[in-house]
Amino acid sequence: MTHPRGIDMAFDAAEFAARQARVQAALGARGLDAAVFTGPENIFWLCGQQTPGYYTFQALVLPARGDPVFILRALEEPNFLRNTVIADSVTYGDGEAAAEVLVATLRARGLDQGRLAIEKGGWFLTIALYEALLAALPRPPGDVTGLVESLRRVKSPSEIAAIERAVAQSEAGVLAGLAAIRPGASENAVVAAMMQAA
């Protein structure tokens, strides 16, 4: 059974496009042609992709102009299709070297020769993978660590609305839990009341 693209997205496509545009403007202001983002929280903020598979490489390649491309393990593709509407993705198998796939993706899109930067310190970027990238790229990449975090601090109207909904759900759950507490009430009954109200 196939599902519509992005059926599990946390925000609509316009919200993610606006976020990507903000980062692209920041890349252009730094004189960069593209950036590779590897932090799972920043990847989620930029496109909605989230995964429990933190042990395998994923990256969002965002050019300063044009559409992003996502690189991920082939096994993760169904999840990716539900979480995002990014049209361009490259998958790799468990026997393939993620660094080689990333470099080949950059080359295929003409981004390996430009001014490239990488977000360092993300879960998906191991030391070995970074060293393999350094060996394969024609020049050392710059560093965009912290760029997305600085933009994430300013919340959009959609983000503020989501925070307000989350607060309202949490408050409803806490109040229902407090009302359900009485002598003899089981923890299950209290939690059930909280979950129902939230």
Side-chain angles (χ1 to χ4, degrees):
M1 179 177 174
T2 59
H3 297 280
R5 283 298 311 271
I7 193 170
D8 291 334
M9 288 194 330
F11 294 94
D12 63 26
E15 173 71 14
F16 289 116
R19 294 175 184 183
Q20 291 168 22
R22 288 173 63 198
V23 174
Q24 287 175 313
L27 295 178
R30 292 183 179 199
L32 296 169
D33 296 308
V36 179
F37 294 99
T38 60
E41 64 281 1
N42 291 335
I43 287 173
F44 174 77
W45 187 82
L46 281 165
C47 69
Q49 169 63 355
Q50 54 185 330
T51 175
Y54 291 132
Y55 45 85
T56 59
F57 179 74
Q58 292 191 21
L60 178 69
V61 178
L62 186 64
R65 288 176 300 281
D67 296 325
V69 57
F70 203 93
I71 299 165
L72 70 159
R73 184 183 183 206
L75 192 63
E76 291 278 353
E77 188 174 31
N79 181 53
F80 170 78
L81 296 175
R82 292 176 66 95
N83 283 333
T84 79
V85 291
I86 291 179
D88 191 3
S89 62
V90 176
T91 61
Y92 64 90
D94 287 343
E96 295 181 79
E100 292 175 10
V101 174
L102 174 55
V103 171
T105 301
L106 293 169
R107 280 191 191 125
R109 287 154 184 80
L111 298 173
D112 63 318
Q113 299 296 324
R115 294 157 300 175
L116 179 69
I118 295 179
E119 177 184 46
K120 299 174 184 172
W123 283 58
F124 304 125
L125 186 65
T126 64
I127 293 170
L129 194 144
Y130 183 69
E131 288 176 346
L133 289 175
L134 288 179
L137 291 169
R139 66 181 60 82
D143 187 359
V144 288
T145 305
L147 186 151
V148 174
E149 288 88 340
S150 68
L151 298 175
R152 283 171 39 201
R153 289 187 187 106
V154 179
K155 305 303 180 195
S156 70
S158 294
E159 288 173 300
I160 292 170
I163 291 168
E164 288 172 345
R165 283 193 306 275
V167 168
Q169 290 170 338
S170 298
E171 184 178 32
V174 168
L175 293 174
L178 290 172
I181 295 173
R182 61 183 56 86
S186 70
E187 291 177 358
N188 287 345
V190 174
V191 171
M194 294 174 71
M195 296 301 290
Q196 183 177 14

